[in-house]
Amino acid sequence: EENRSRGKFATVRLDFSDFRPRMRHFPMQNEGVESVDARRMRQALSKSDIPPFNGRDIRQFGFRYRGGNNAFSRNDASRSGWSKFYLALDYIKLYRAQPEPEFIYLSDARIPPVIQDGMVKHDSRRIASSSSELDSTSNVIINEENLKDLTSTKVHRTPEETYFKYQGEEIIKQSGLSYTIIRVSGFNESPSTDSSAVRLQKTNENISPVSRADLSQVIASALLEPNACNLVLYMTKSNQRGVVDGDVFAKFARLRSEKEEDELPPFQ
């Protein structure tokens, strides 16, 4: 394939959980007989009880390049000698594993649960929330009077603020840190008397403002809860009283279970 990053740095993130053991290339002995080292490695990889990759087992870290994968090989008549290439590494960064979230990010409930292609309008700094907005190419101009109306209450945000909230989410997701992203629609000063009134959900349906006291409780609980790791959730307030659905930790566990079910591959 064409090298589209020629002259530019490309960021590549590799999750250790995706690493798999591979057969190392060993030169053949006389008459095509497999070497002892190659035979031992093949026998080891044929076992079904290969332990999962553990980053703590790393002793060396290197890069291998196979000339046969290049467009020009040594035997190519149009080239003399080995083909050449240049590889520059700006930095290598490793992230430690942590079961609890390292970062809690407070975001905007107007961000849809699923962002489709074309919904993020970088030119006008907004996120399209409907098909009509998705097809529109016009920019929205907000004058000072409209801006006062949007910011007069603590519930409303400008479309530009929502756009930058989403950009912040993307930066955190790509940072390598473990996180919890909590999306709220606004704040009030009416704390709930019990945890059943606090709703944590994966969609932005029936969203209402929450109190700062309830939000503080959810944030403090998330920092100590492994089930809250790498979750994106909406926080709201239930209209029904006395609904027993567990404490905040139980709500995180339910969302974790729903997230894992959504990530399961389709049945074949």
Side-chain angles (χ1 to χ4, degrees):
E1 295 182 1
E2 180 184 355
N3 182 8
R4 300 184 181 276
S5 61
R6 188 181 301 275
K8 299 180 180 179
F9 279 107
T11 302
V12 179
R13 292 179 171 84
L14 304 175
D15 193 336
F16 283 156
S17 62
D18 295 334
F19 279 47
R20 298 293 182 269
R22 296 294 299 273
M23 181 72 181
R24 181 181 175 185
H25 177 71
F26 290 96
M28 289 291 183
Q29 295 180 345
N30 297 334
E31 299 180 357
V33 179
E34 196 175 43
S35 65
V36 176
D37 291 334
R39 185 165 58 253
R40 289 176 177 175
M41 180 169 288
R42 190 178 300 279
Q43 292 174 352
L45 293 180
S46 64
K47 297 180 179 180
S48 59
D49 58 345
I50 299 177
F53 178 84
N54 192 332
R56 289 176 293 185
D57 296 334
I58 295 179
R59 296 296 179 267
Q60 292 180 332
F61 190 87
F63 297 89
R64 296 183 62 198
Y65 168 75
R66 292 186 179 181
N69 296 337
N70 204 6
F72 299 99
S73 65
R74 187 179 182 182
N75 297 327
D76 194 335
S78 63
R79 296 277 177 158
S80 59
W82 292 99
S83 58
K84 298 180 181 180
F85 73 99
Y86 177 76
L87 174 65
L89 299 178
D90 186 24
Y91 62 88
I92 298 177
K93 185 184 295 184
L94 299 178
Y95 298 98
R96 63 185 177 88
Q98 179 171 319
E100 300 88 5
E102 299 173 273
F103 201 95
I104 308 296
Y105 184 74
L106 188 59
S107 191
D108 191 346
R110 294 198 301 178
I111 300 175
V114 179
I115 301 294
Q116 300 177 352
D117 294 339
M119 290 182 63
V120 182
K121 304 290 187 177
H122 297 289
D123 53 347
S124 57
R125 295 179 179 177
R126 63 189 180 95
I127 298 177
S129 58
S130 64
S131 57
S132 59
E133 288 183 322
L134 190 61
D135 298 333
S136 175
T137 58
S138 61
N139 295 332
V140 178
I141 300 177
I142 301 178
N143 55 34
E144 293 185 2
E145 293 299 325
N146 291 337
L147 188 60
K148 286 182 180 179
D149 293 338
L150 287 171
T151 57
S152 59
T153 64
K154 299 178 182 179
V155 176
H156 295 93
R157 293 188 178 95
T158 64
E160 189 174 19
E161 287 179 309
T162 303
Y163 166 82
F164 282 113
K165 281 290 186 180
Y166 173 75
Q167 292 295 95
E169 290 186 7
E170 292 301 297
I171 292 174
I172 293 174
K173 291 177 182 178
Q174 300 298 325
S175 68
L177 299 173
S178 56
Y179 59 85
T180 300
I181 296 175
I182 304 175
R183 295 172 176 172
V184 297
S185 64
F187 309 99
N188 57 42
E189 302 298 338
S190 303
S192 303
T193 56
D194 55 75
S195 61
S196 64
V198 175
R199 301 284 295 176
L200 304 181
Q201 56 193 46
K202 62 180 182 180
T203 65
N204 57 352
E205 298 177 356
N206 301 321
I207 293 293
S208 60
V210 298
S211 71
R212 291 177 173 84
D214 291 337
L215 179 61
S216 300
Q217 179 187 3
V218 172
I219 292 175
S221 301
L223 290 171
L224 304 174
E225 177 53 47
N227 284 322
C229 193
N230 297 338
L231 283 182
V232 179
L233 57 95
Y234 294 87
M235 180 178 173
T236 185
K237 201 170 185 178
S238 176
N239 295 325
Q240 298 179 355
R241 296 289 180 176
V243 179
V244 180
D245 59 350
D247 56 13
V248 176
F249 297 105
K251 300 176 194 292
F252 282 129
R254 175 179 54 81
L255 286 173
R256 168 62 56 186
S257 177
E258 293 176 355
K259 182 176 185 292
E260 293 175 351
E261 290 179 359
D262 294 339
E263 293 175 350
L264 289 176
F267 180 75
Q268 300 293 335

